[in-house]
Amino acid sequence: MADIDPWGDVELGNYSEKMDKFGIEPIEEIEERLPDHRFIRRGIIFGHRDLDELLDARDEGDDFAMITGIMPSGVFHFGHKCVVDQIKMYQEMGAEITIAAADIEAYNTRNMSLEEARELVVEEYLKNYVALGIDLENIDFYFQSQAGNDHLAKAAMFGRYLTQNEMEATYGNADPAKMSSAQVQYADILRPQFSENGGSKPTVVPVGIDQDPHIRLTREVARKYRDQEFVKPASTYNKFMRGLQGGKMSSSKPKSYIALTDSVEEAKEKIDQAKTGGKDSLEEHREKGADVEEDMVFELLAFHLIKDDEELERIRREYSSGEMLSGELKQIAKEKIEEFLTEHQRKREEASEEVEQYIEENFDFN
Ligand code: TRP
């Protein structure tokens, strides 16, 4: 079996073990060169490969790019918001932004029709992306199935640069549906460097560790490719946000996530039912304090709902000393989520027509 299965269940934690094993560098070493972003300050983005090369390009005024993909898996929740916040960060840094809608991968590995995949991409992802501040006019957004002849030809021809041993060692089983979508993903990752997009340039792919097998093999393809020069793609790694009940956040378990389209009432109910790090009795809680690291409400605050570090630290202090109770922490989260969802859903409503028009003008699915 492979060490990491990009199509299977994600493994939470053990991040430092994987960093050692796969040669991922700690992000702290280059922290001063990066934007002041809560994901970096809070260790949510913990590692990278070759990001320094991209920062050098930025400092020199040279072109650099960021690419990510949308795997349409169901409703858009706070776990998915992590990548959107990172797209915004790189857009502000001046990166060229590319977003691949992974309809071929969904078709091949999730038993979806292309129509279902596209519908989810538009309704659940793009509308929320735009509401969160992504400007579609300034990015290269495409569906894999319509990526163009050059893109899909390269995807097919990349096969020449990889061996069966490498595929099996990296992915475990190498079944055709997965392998062809993996090759399309290598083309996605190298697309910002295609000659029609200005040629070779440092490119970063912000991912969860589950996608690292694809990154490693794309780097291998980039190294061996002969028909043009590619810079080996850089990557950053973010921790997975855990589910509200502890353990994995999963699209198939509605109580594990808050969707950005959940009603305020639903969201508050999910917070009420969330796993906390509070102690069983008031007496014990006051004496020993909460286990903040095991509190899923605190995790939601730290990942998304509190931007100000001082405010977050004050809560951590009071909660871990036992001064603050779980109910009080939940109250804070419920106020924040109400404010966030109300505003976000208003923006999503506003974005809806714009996104539909954008799709109609730019894509022809017949
Ligand atoms: N495989 C990715 C996922 O499951 C989606 C994806 C497709 C992607 N192409 C990509 C991610 C290119 C990063 C870069 O989420």
Side-chain angles (χ1 to χ4, degrees), residues 192-207:
Q193 304 193 60
F194 290 178
S195 51
E196 58 268 35
N197 294 323
S200 79
K201 62 176 77 75
T203 303
V204 61
V205 200
V207 290

Side-chain angles (χ1 to χ4, degrees), residues 6 67-71 100 102 105 144 185 188-189 205 207 211 214:
I67 150 88
T68 186
I70 295 174
M71 177 67 186
E105 186 180 3
Q144 285 177 331
Q185 183 158 345
D188 294 338
I189 293 173
V205 200
V207 290
Q211 295 295 304
H214 298 312

Side-chain angles (χ1 to χ4, degrees), residues 37 202 208 258:
H37 193 282
I258 294 175

